[in-house]
Amino acid sequence: MKPTNNKIALFTLAGIATAPGFMDPFREELSFQLRSRGYIVEAESIYPYGDWSQRVMKQLAAIFRDMTDIQERLWTSVGARAAKELIFEAAKKGQIVLLIGHSGGGISAVQVALQLIKEGYLPPLIVQIGSPKCPIPLVLKEHVLFLSAVGTGGKRDPVTRFGRWGGWVRKFGHLKVWKMRAYPPEEVVDIPLIGSHPDYFRTHSPYVDETGSSNMMKTLRPLLSWLERKLP
C-alpha cells in the first residue's frame, strides 16, 4: 500500500564509528532531488550506534545482536531504540518515512521498521547502502532496496559480504527447510564505484570517473529510480 501524501520524513542512519556529518551531503542532495520532484521534505541524521567518539567494540557488538535477531525474539534492537523517537514522531504525523542506512545503519533501519509495523503504521521505505545482509521479513520485502559497491576488478564492498539473507521456510506442512535466499530485499543493485565501503557519498577527485559522474551520483541514480516507482 502506497502513502497518499507528498510529505517525506527522510532519515539517514549511519553505521559504526562514523564521523559526525558523514552522510549530511548525501542527505541534502537527496532532499534537493525529492523537493525538485514536488515533495515536501524534512530531513535528519541519526547515529543509531553512536559516532566515532564511542567505543567501536561496543558498537560492533550491538550491530551483531541486531543482525542475528532481526525478528527481536530475544532482545530489543539497540539501533532501533536509539532511532525510534524521531522516526515514530514522523509516522504519527502521517509523513512518508524514508530510511537511508549506510553500513550498520541499514540493519537498524529494518529493526525500527518492524517496530513501526507492530504499532500499526505503514511500512517505511528503506535503502540499505553498503550494509551487512540481514533477513528481510516478508512484510517489508517490497519496501527495501539494497545497494552494494563493486570497485575496480569486480571487488565488492567487503561489509556487504557479512550476514545472510537465508532462513528457515515452511514446506510440506510443519517441515522447515533452510534456504540461502529465503528473505532477500526486493531489489539488489551493484554500483560501479571508485573506492569501496566509505566512498559511496564522495563527490570530489579521485572519486569522479571519466564521464564526470561522482560516486554520490552513482549511488543516487538507482535510489531515485526505485523511489520513483514507490512514492505516490
Side-chain angles (χ1 to χ4, degrees):
M1 178 179 177
K2 285 187 177 183
T4 57
N5 64 72
N6 69 336
K7 295 180 180 179
I8 296 175
L10 165 62
F11 298 95
T12 55
L13 292 84
I16 66 165
T18 300
F22 173 69
M23 294 185 71
D24 290 1
F26 185 79
R27 184 198 69 199
E28 292 307 312
E29 179 61 29
L30 178 55
S31 297
F32 171 78
Q33 294 288 342
L34 291 170
R35 289 180 183 120
S36 71
R37 289 162 169 77
Y39 292 96
I40 299 168
V41 181
E42 295 181 3
E44 293 282 350
S45 292
I46 298 176
Y47 298 82
Y49 303 99
D51 59 25
W52 64 5
S53 66
Q54 277 83 39
R55 288 186 298 160
V56 173
M57 291 308 298
K58 183 178 180 181
Q59 295 180 52
L60 278 171
I63 288 178
F64 181 76
R65 281 177 48 168
D66 285 359
M67 283 175 59
T68 54
D69 194 27
I70 204 72
Q71 300 285 4
E72 298 187 54
R73 296 187 186 94
L74 300 179
W75 43 63
T76 301
S77 161
V78 176
R81 186 169 64 243
K84 184 176 177 179
E85 185 175 347
L86 285 172
I87 295 170
F88 265 62
E89 189 61 34
K92 289 175 185 176
K93 293 178 182 177
Q95 296 170 307
I96 301 167
V97 176
L98 173 56
L99 307 178
I100 311 293
H102 175 251
S103 195
I107 304 294
S108 62
V110 173
Q111 292 277 18
V112 77
L114 289 173
Q115 293 195 16
L116 281 170
I117 292 169
K118 287 177 184 177
E119 294 295 325
Y121 297 105
L122 289 172
L125 295 173
I126 299 171
V127 182
Q128 297 181 303
I129 303 175
S131 296
K133 297 180 181 70
C134 68
I136 306 299
L138 295 179
V139 70
L140 274 178
K141 181 181 174 71
E142 65 181 279
H143 303 277
V144 181
L145 169 67
F146 186 92
L147 301 179
S148 176
V150 178
T152 306
K155 189 175 181 181
R156 187 172 297 279
D157 178 349
V159 173
T160 65
R161 296 181 182 275
F162 293 119
R164 59 177 172 81
W165 290 324
W168 295 98
V169 295
R170 192 178 300 279
K171 289 208 172 183
F172 313 115
H174 294 291
L175 178 65
K176 290 185 178 181
V177 297
W178 179 267
K179 188 176 178 182
M180 289 295 293
R181 287 179 61 90
Y183 304 105
E186 178 189 52
E187 191 168 339
V188 179
V189 178
D190 291 340
I191 305 171
L193 230 60
I194 300 171
S196 188
H197 185 67
D199 304 317
Y200 289 90
F201 314 124
R202 310 292 189 194
T203 58
H204 55 80
S205 178
Y207 304 102
V208 180
D209 66 20
E210 63 278 2
T211 69
S213 183
S214 69
N215 279 2
M216 182 187 287
M217 292 312 299
K218 290 176 183 177
T219 302
L220 275 170
R221 285 190 194 110
L223 192 162
L224 288 167
S225 176
W226 184 75
L227 286 177
E228 285 173 0
R229 302 195 300 273
K230 297 297 178 181
L231 291 170

